Amino acid sequence: RLQLVPGSDAWSKWKDIPVPIIIRFRIFNVTNPVAVQNGAKPKLVEAGPYAYEEKRIKDIIAVDSEKDTITYRQRIIYTFRQDLSNGTEYDRLVVINVPFVVS
């Protein structure tokens, strides 16, 4: 049985997840944006992946053992991972605004 009690191994793993969470994005870059503005079909080139590591930190606000509840606020921090990316955070990409085009 797994119990979340302050100071336990389960608590520390729940509060600060030890396994890295990696998110990868691939983006279709429009290489002819001016022509697209004039009605041409977009020419797309896939860029990426751009990888980010997600870190979830739980800030404990209260532990109520009577009600068996934990109140916390979760912060999520994203850090760019150059070593897992094909490109940099400073790459300039042009993307299509799909909701605008569809409406």
Side-chain angles (χ1 to χ4, degrees), residues 53-78:
E53 184 168 344
E54 179 181 292
K55 181 76 172 165
R56 293 173 177 253
I57 301 167
K58 293 179 182 79
D59 296 319
I60 307 303
I61 297 169
V63 177
D64 188 333
S65 54
E66 248 181 58
K67 293 181 182 177
D68 201 24
T69 61
I70 301 169
T71 306
Y72 66 93
R73 184 169 314 226
Q74 182 169 257
R75 292 180 288 141
I76 303 175
I77 300 168
Y78 297 97

Side-chain angles (χ1 to χ4, degrees), residues 71-89:
T71 306
Y72 66 93
R73 184 169 314 226
Q74 182 169 257
R75 292 180 288 141
I76 303 175
I77 300 168
Y78 297 97
T79 305
F80 184 67
R81 292 286 306 266
Q82 181 68 55
D83 59 320
L84 300 175
S85 299
N86 184 16
T88 73
E89 272 192 302

Side-chain angles (χ1 to χ4, degrees), residues 13-59:
K13 288 180 181 173
W14 169 78
K15 189 174 181 299
D16 185 15
I17 300 169
V19 179
I21 301 167
I22 305 294
I23 302 168
R24 290 180 175 88
F25 298 94
R26 292 181 183 274
I27 300 169
F28 289 95
N29 184 35
V30 179
T31 60
N32 62 337
V34 174
V36 171
Q37 286 178 330
N38 293 324
K41 284 180 104 176
K43 293 180 184 173
L44 306 175
V45 174
E46 188 174 345
Y50 296 93
Y52 288 83
E53 184 168 344
E54 179 181 292
K55 181 76 172 165
R56 293 173 177 253
I57 301 167
K58 293 179 182 79
D59 296 319

